[in-house]
Amino acid sequence: SSAAVRMEAPGVVVTTNVLNSPATPISACSVVGDGCSPLTLLTGHVDGQIRLWVMKYGRGGREGGGEEGRKGGRNCLTLAQELAYVSSASGGSPSKAPITALTLSQDLRRFYSGDTMGVVCAWTSSSPGSSFVASGLVEGSTPSSRREG
């Protein structure tokens, strides 16, 4: 897929919708980048989707050891993966509850998502750069497990 976000200059961002469907508003975000590994961004959306984005550095960017890539607009975020939690309660359909919280580990091997229904899901990857899969719900996070009170 083509670039979703292009860095024209420091502080100037040009966006392009690369998804095959209309863009849905972002309701949560988490960013990890240590200056040595590629910047990684998670976005949670009001339709329950989670998208994983990775910065691709252009000529002269960090991989080339210079500032040219950033100033020349060659760096861009690319969509790496789209995710949605599928619960047995929904009959195997992806959750449509808006994502309200995301946190991504520094080692890029796990993250947690939370939604408006109070469900917190753990996601894992076997190694940085491989696909994430839902590894389970955080105990006590499902609406039926919470006590009124």
Side-chain angles (χ1 to χ4, degrees), residues 50 84-87 95 97-104 110-124 133-146:
I50 299 169
Y85 175 69
V86 178
S87 74
S95 171
I99 303 299
T100 56
L102 290 168
T103 186
L104 180 62
R110 66 188 169 283
F111 75 89
Y112 295 91
S113 63
D115 66 24
T116 57
M117 297 299 294
V119 175
V120 177
C121 184
W123 301 80
T124 56
V133 294
S135 57
L137 297 179
V138 174
E139 189 173 334
S141 72
T142 60
S144 62
S145 67
R146 289 181 283 152

Side-chain angles (χ1 to χ4, degrees), residues 46-140:
V46 297
D47 63 357
Q49 291 287 311
I50 299 169
R51 294 187 175 101
L52 176 70
W53 306 85
V54 177
M55 178 66 82
K56 299 292 183 184
Y57 296 107
R59 181 183 53 120
R62 285 191 193 147
E63 293 169 356
E67 293 291 320
E68 200 176 301
R70 275 171 268 179
K71 291 180 181 173
R74 304 256 190 260
N75 298 339
C76 61
L77 285 171
T78 56
L79 181 61
Q81 190 176 1
E82 290 186 274
L83 305 154
Y85 175 69
V86 178
S87 74
S88 55
S90 67
S93 298
S95 171
K96 299 288 185 194
I99 303 299
T100 56
L102 290 168
T103 186
L104 180 62
S105 67
Q106 287 293 323
D107 67 3
L108 305 176
R109 294 185 63 182
R110 66 188 169 283
F111 75 89
Y112 295 91
S113 63
D115 66 24
T116 57
M117 297 299 294
V119 175
V120 177
C121 184
W123 301 80
T124 56
S125 172
S126 59
S127 64
S130 19
S131 296
F132 280 94
V133 294
S135 57
L137 297 179
V138 174
E139 189 173 334

Side-chain angles (χ1 to χ4, degrees), residues 4-5 15 19 22-31 41-53 77 79 98-102:
V5 177
T15 62
L19 307 174
T24 56
I26 294 172
S27 51
C29 179
S30 180
V31 180
L41 171 73
L42 275 174
T43 55
H45 298 263
V46 297
D47 63 357
Q49 291 287 311
I50 299 169
R51 294 187 175 101
L52 176 70
W53 306 85
L77 285 171
L79 181 61
I99 303 299
T100 56
L102 290 168

